Amino acid sequence: MRVHIVPAGDDYARKNHRSTVGKNVSIDIIKNFITDQKILGILNGDGYAAWGVTNGHNNRNYNQWLDMNAGDICIFSRDKRFFSVCRVVTKFKNHNFASHLWKNDEKVWENMFLLDQVQEIHIPTTSVARVMLKNNLEPYKEHY
């Protein structure tokens, strides 16, 4: 199991988090866009939280998304705090679904993942950064 830090601080991310993580996307809408039977076979709830990322500069977001697996944890951050935590149910690439959920003419967050067990949290990022730095996890230094 991995823990993925997911930034969600800009205006789009705040709006999208409220609409598709703060409340679930219904299974009926999900089924309109997903036809992969393997994915549909694991979806047994009435709805799921949904999130997606663009490929990012030099495919940074895409490569992190590739490392994501079912059962992993996502921790959303903004304003120097972690505010939401959830579990990854599945991931998939779906341009049309992303466009439907997060209408934006500039970018499409098509590297998608469905989430459950969403919980609100209040943890300053500085608390986590101290642990990361103490354990020589330098890649986290740039974020905090």
Side-chain angles (χ1 to χ4, degrees), residues 79-107:
D79 302 329
K80 298 190 180 205
R81 69 182 178 93
F82 297 109
F83 68 95
S84 183
V85 63
C86 43
R87 184 180 69 104
V88 175
V89 175
T90 189
K91 71 178 183 185
F92 50 88
K93 185 179 272 292
N94 193 312
H95 184 95
N96 292 334
F97 191 19
S99 294
H100 173 79
L101 291 177
W102 310 298
K103 296 162 183 64
N104 183 321
D105 294 334
E106 298 172 25
K107 53 182 142 180

Side-chain angles (χ1 to χ4, degrees), residues 5 21 24 29 41-42 44 48-50 52 58 64-65 72 76 85 91 113-115 127 130 134 136 140 142:
I5 297 173
V21 177
N24 285 341
I29 292 172
I42 63 173
N44 56 11
Y48 294 87
N58 291 329
Q64 290 174 343
W65 176 80
D72 287 357
F76 287 87
V85 63
K91 71 178 183 185
F113 38 108
L114 297 181
L115 307 159
S127 300
R130 280 192 294 272
K134 183 178 177 182
N136 292 323
Y140 294 92
E142 69 187 68

Side-chain angles (χ1 to χ4, degrees), residues 5-57:
I5 297 173
V6 182
D10 69 17
D11 289 341
Y12 286 120
R14 289 170 189 265
K15 178 183 169 208
N16 293 344
H17 189 278
R18 278 191 304 276
S19 67
T20 63
V21 177
K23 55 185 174 183
N24 285 341
V25 177
S26 80
I27 194 67
D28 294 331
I29 292 172
I30 293 169
K31 287 180 178 179
N32 285 335
F33 292 93
I34 296 177
T35 57
D36 183 316
Q37 292 304 309
K38 183 178 175 185
I39 293 173
L40 291 174
I42 63 173
L43 301 180
N44 56 11
D46 293 336
Y48 294 87
W51 197 252
V53 296
T54 63
N55 288 340
H57 180 69

